Amino acid sequence: MENFRIEHDSMGEVKVPADKLWGAQTERSHENFEIGVGIETMPREITKAFGYLKKAAAIANNALKPEKMTDEKLKCISQACDEVISGQLNENFPLVVWQTGSGTQSNMNANEVIANRANQIAGKKLCHPNDDINMSQSSNDTFPTALHISAVSAIEDKLLPAVDTLVKTFAKLEKDNEGIVKSGRTHLQDAVPIQFSQEISGWRTSLERDVEMLESSLPYLKQLALGGTAVGTGLNAPKGFDEKVAAAVSDLTGKKFITAPNKFHALTSKDELVFAHGAVKALAADMMKIANDVRWLASGPRDGLGEIHIPENEPGSSIMPGKVNPTQCEAVTMVAVQVMGNDAAIGFAASQGNFELNVFMPVIAYNFIQSCRLLAESILSFNKNCAVGITANKEKMHDNLHNSLMLVTALNPYIGYENAAKTSHLAYEKNISLKDACVQLGFLTAEKFDEVFHPEEMAGVTKVR
């Protein structure tokens, strides 16, 4: 028994695996682009988005062209699309990112799979990939539409909930650590005191600001190119199709999408994705900073700062017994580096629109979705396996604080900046306390020094915990 069937397209016949739903054009792409196979397959988020938009297109076409998109076709296509959306047909989407820059082959992959599955459901040859599934559409408007749908879903359904989880953890840590004073640090050097809760509040607020910036990008991503067809003119699409299909996508996804007011812009410019990914990169930059702060503060356990304890999750060395490393922080920082690289790729790709179309869309899709997925998953992992278990080493914080020469700043109002600088230098050179240095230099008596020198008050704490 043969393990393939014969399919055909405008170029002739093609052998297709008998157990797969794709057709001739998908098979040609599968054979012609053996680049990154098994590694860089078109993201499933894009496949799912195609399921939504193809079902929405069928609904709109049924309303506007009922003589062509019959109720029978709509029913079978809708069921097939639901199976695409649920992931049941994922094995029928084999194409890689490295294909045509318009995503035509992925669009045809969706058309062929949905048509063949609809025909199975109907029990007869009812639907054609181009004439029915791709009715009123072009790859040039469907792929950017799938890209926007998947980007919105990645941000709203994955990234924002992950950030919110970590924000709540930091809010709890803030409350738990109020009144604990430690040495501040700037330029990796000792600085004036700060409450540990204040330091954590900086982390929390950074993430909250990132959320605001991500949310500000969503209205632009919620404008869909569908209805522009090949070059933005809407050729072969009925009047009103763009608005009806955007409404249908909104109903199916539960997210408010609208039709792009200018389809010529929607097809050729990817500025909305550059802007949105800029906010994703901002989040990555803040996560890099937070993860670095945490691993610096936890450094040691004896020869580092050692001001916080973090969970010990696994052995850290194959040669040094007992060593434990800040692995969750390291994972976050590696993800941040990847996101920053992705941002460069997206920016370059978005700049390559020529005339009526950008032909770098698959690589934009791949990098954008990867950034959101990696960031969301790394943030949740960091929260679960590190952040929730952060505790303050109060004794080490106290010792470091009172050993800091920058506490001399408290003396500025009493002895002036230059004399305070002399006090600090003498204390450092002779390895003595600030008090001893200040008294030796004759700037204050020991009694007056004790009266005005209160490190915790420098951070706004009047009662030391």
Side-chain angles (χ1 to χ4, degrees):
M1 182 177 177
E2 295 180 330
N3 58 358
F4 62 85
R5 68 180 189 278
I6 301 297
E7 290 273 355
H8 74 276
D9 59 14
S10 60
M11 296 182 71
E13 293 185 343
V14 181
K15 291 181 179 180
V16 175
D19 62 337
K20 295 298 187 284
L21 291 171
W22 67 70
Q25 291 194 50
T26 302
E27 184 60 28
R28 290 189 193 279
S29 181
H30 197 210
E31 294 174 2
N32 291 337
F33 295 97
E34 295 186 286
I35 309 169
V37 176
I39 301 173
E40 287 147 351
T41 303
M42 188 64 67
R44 293 307 172 205
E45 290 87 344
I46 292 289
T47 302
K48 183 176 182 178
F50 265 110
Y52 282 127
L53 79 86
K54 293 297 179 181
K55 183 174 181 178
I59 291 169
N61 281 320
N62 177 251
L64 297 169
K65 293 182 175 181
E67 72 285 357
K68 290 188 176 181
M69 180 57 66
T70 64
D71 290 343
E72 181 185 15
K73 287 182 179 179
L74 174 61
K75 181 180 178 181
C76 296
I77 291 171
S78 293
Q79 183 178 331
C81 288
D82 288 341
E83 293 178 8
V84 170
I85 293 165
S86 70
Q88 289 175 246
L89 304 181
N90 277 352
E91 64 177 15
N92 293 285
F93 292 88
L95 300 187
V96 293
V97 171
W98 316 110
Q99 54 170 280
T100 178
S102 62
T104 298
Q105 280 104 31
S106 281
N107 178 47
M108 283 308 304
N109 190 176
N111 290 334
E112 290 172 348
V113 168
I114 293 168
N116 284 331
R117 181 62 188 128
N119 291 339
Q120 286 181 351
I121 294 166
K124 60 182 179 180
K125 192 79 170 179
L126 178 68
C127 295
H128 186 278
N130 299 81
D131 295 336
D132 296 304
I133 314 304
N134 203 58
M135 186 188 300
S136 309
Q137 305 152 64
S138 163
S139 298
N140 296 353
D141 66 349
T142 59
F143 198 93
T145 296
L147 182 47
H148 276 217
I149 293 171
S150 63
V152 169
S153 298
I155 292 172
E156 288 191 340
D157 300 341
K158 290 184 178 179
L159 202 47
L160 292 180
V163 177
D164 184 60
T165 298
L166 186 54
V167 165
K168 289 176 180 175
T169 294
F170 284 154
K172 182 178 184 302
L173 285 173
E174 263 183 85
K175 187 174 181 181
D176 293 345
N177 290 281
E178 284 179 0
I180 298 175
V181 181
K182 60 184 289 293
S183 178
R185 294 179 179 88
T186 59
H187 303 270
L188 292 181
Q189 304 295 306
D190 301 342
V192 295
I194 186 174
Q195 294 183 49
F196 186 36
S197 60
Q198 293 171 329
E199 194 165 48
I200 297 168
S201 77
W203 302 342
R204 172 184 55 78
T205 302
S206 293
L207 297 181
E208 290 173 339
R209 180 59 51 84
D210 292 326
V211 167
E212 292 172 359
M213 290 188 285
L214 285 165
E215 289 176 339
S216 74
S217 73
L218 291 172
Y220 305 111
L221 292 176
K222 290 182 177 179
Q223 296 182 14
L224 302 182
L226 211 55
T229 66
V231 295
T233 60
L235 179 68
N236 292 344
K239 183 176 176 56
F241 175 79
D242 55 354
E243 293 183 356
K244 281 191 177 297
V245 79
V249 170
S250 299
D251 290 340
L252 295 172
T253 61
K255 304 177 187 301
K256 180 59 179 175
F257 290 95
I258 62 172
T259 189
N262 188 304
K263 305 300 190 299
F264 308 103
H265 165 83
L267 267 59
T268 194
S269 176
K270 302 298 117 190
D271 50 10
E272 301 95 343
L273 290 146
V274 174
F275 180 73
H277 197 272
V280 175
K281 182 176 72 170
L283 172 60
D286 280 330
M287 286 304 303
M288 173 75 85
K289 190 269 184 198
I290 291 166
N292 279 335
D293 281 358
V294 169
R295 62 177 171 175
W296 271 109
L297 290 171
S299 62
R302 290 188 173 177
D303 295 335
L305 296 180
E307 292 187 347
I308 65 172
H309 300 294
I310 60 176
E312 298 181 350
N313 297 320
E314 62 273 317
S317 173
S318 61
I319 190 173
M320 294 175 280
K323 194 173 192 299
V324 180
N325 298 327
T327 51
Q328 290 295 318
C329 298
E330 291 166 4
V332 167
T333 55
M334 285 191 289
V335 165
V337 167
Q338 183 65 53
V339 171
M340 291 172 188
N342 288 350
D343 191 73
I346 289 170
F348 285 128
S351 72
Q352 298 303 305
N354 298 126
F355 302 112
E356 278 63 62
L357 188 66
N358 177 286
V359 290
F360 284 69
M361 287 188 286
V363 72
I364 293 174
Y366 179 76
N367 283 281
F368 195 104
I369 297 303
Q370 185 193 56
S371 289
C372 293
R373 185 190 297 168
L374 289 179
L375 259 184
E377 291 174 359
S378 67
I379 288 170
L380 289 175
S381 180
F382 175 77
N383 179 75
K384 176 184 176 183
N385 299 306
C386 183
V388 296
I390 291 174
T391 56
N393 184 343
K394 297 184 207 175
E395 293 77 16
K396 192 64 182 287
M397 286 184 177
H398 179 274
D399 291 347
N400 287 347
L401 172 66
H402 286 267
N403 195 43
S404 171
L405 295 176
M406 289 306 99
L407 297 180
V408 76
T409 308
L411 303 179
N412 284 358
Y414 304 97
I415 64 175
Y417 181 94
E418 292 191 9
N419 286 340
K422 292 176 183 177
T423 300
S424 175
H425 284 299
L426 182 65
Y428 180 68
E429 290 165 5
K430 292 192 173 183
N431 195 27
I432 59 177
S433 69
L434 288 171
K435 180 178 179 179
D436 289 344
C438 189
V439 172
Q440 282 185 31
L441 289 167
F443 296 145
L444 292 174
T445 64
E447 293 76 17
K448 184 63 176 178
F449 184 95
D450 290 338
E451 179 185 332
V452 301
F453 188 76
H454 300 289
E456 282 75 16
E457 290 183 4
M458 296 172 70
V461 175
T462 56
K463 184 178 180 181
V464 182
R465 287 172 57 175

